[in-house]
Each structure stands twice: as structure tokens, then as C-alpha cells.
Amino acid sequence: MKRLVFGLLLSAALVFPFNGSVKAEDNVGEDVDLSSAVITAKSCAEKAKESGSFELLASCPPVEAAKTGYVIYDVTDNTFYAVAPKNIYYFELDEGFGGSIDASGKIVGKEGDIPVIEIKQYKITPKPKAGFFKGCL
């Protein structure tokens, strides 16, 4: 089931064009609700933004997040959000890296052109592990 959900997210990301822009209406204090948003690294998000390739998000190594920080890509709004370290632990983002997050929170600022979200409530679904028989058939 988790593999199916991740596959659908990745398929949606590949089908919808990526313009990499941040909405002008994203203001400090605005409430944000995320559903099945992808947890990735800021450097990978910036590369995906420049190239328009979502494959970078799926293949991004977790080490990149340690170097450049975490971001959350909302598939439905086609927007990246930086994560404020309040109310969420980085080890939870590490465990869910490449997976998805359902969250609600508020925009508390901007980091360059990326809005920063302070997450209030969340549920992380880790990236599914490869199956035992994968590659054997």
C-alpha cells in the first residue's frame, strides 16, 4: 500500500509541470495544510526547481538534508516549504526522508524565496523499503 501511495505521488509529480515558483499570496501567518507532501533536502529541491525534474526528489540522498536543511514539497500546490525546527524533531524528518508528511501549520517567515513553515500537527509516512524479491524476477 505504501509503495502504491509513493508511486502515485511520484507519478503525479512527473505528470504535472513544475514551474518552481513560490506563490505571491504566501504570507507570514498564513495557515497551511499539507497532504502527502514529500520530505526532501533543500539542495535537491533547488536542483529540481532549476531543472524541472522530480526524479531528483526521489533519488535525493539523506546526507544532503544534513548539509542544506529539510524542505517539504507539497504536490497539490506545487510549492516547497522550509521547516522551522520548532515542534518537530529532525530525527523524525530523517526517518521519513523521501517519504511523505501530512501536516498543518503556519508560515513564519521566508528563507530566500522559500516560505518557512512552523508545523503544529503532523504524521510522517516513511519511504517504503525495497521488497525482498526485487530484482530476482
Side-chain angles (χ1 to χ4, degrees):
M1 178 68 178
K2 289 180 183 178
R3 187 177 296 185
L4 175 65
V5 171
F6 185 72
L8 289 173
L9 286 175
L10 187 57
S11 297
L14 293 172
V15 170
F16 295 110
F18 178 66
N19 62 13
S21 65
V22 176
K23 294 179 182 177
E25 63 265 18
D26 283 345
N27 296 325
V28 173
E30 181 180 319
D31 289 329
V32 177
D33 288 318
L34 304 172
S35 179
S36 298
V38 179
I39 302 168
T40 190
K42 183 177 179 182
S43 61
C44 294
E46 289 171 345
K47 289 176 189 173
K49 186 188 246 185
E50 290 172 8
S51 68
S53 173
F54 289 100
E55 294 165 357
L56 293 171
L57 299 178
S59 64
C60 184
V63 159
E64 287 296 314
K67 293 178 186 175
T68 62
Y70 293 92
V71 294
I72 298 172
Y73 171 65
D74 185 14
V75 178
T76 57
D77 288 340
N78 198 24
T79 306
F80 288 99
Y81 296 97
V83 180
K86 190 174 183 181
N87 302 332
I88 190 165
Y89 295 106
Y90 283 134
F91 79 88
E92 292 175 303
L93 293 173
D94 255 347
E95 289 174 359
F97 193 82
S100 65
I101 184 170
D102 296 327
S104 62
K106 272 192 180 187
I107 296 176
V108 294
K110 289 206 174 197
E111 194 174 285
D113 63 343
I114 300 175
V116 177
I117 184 173
E118 182 179 294
I119 297 174
K120 301 290 183 188
Q121 296 178 345
Y122 62 95
K123 180 183 178 213
I124 295 175
T125 305
K127 184 176 181 179
K129 304 287 184 214
F132 176 74
F133 292 104
K134 186 174 182 176
C136 296
L137 301 174

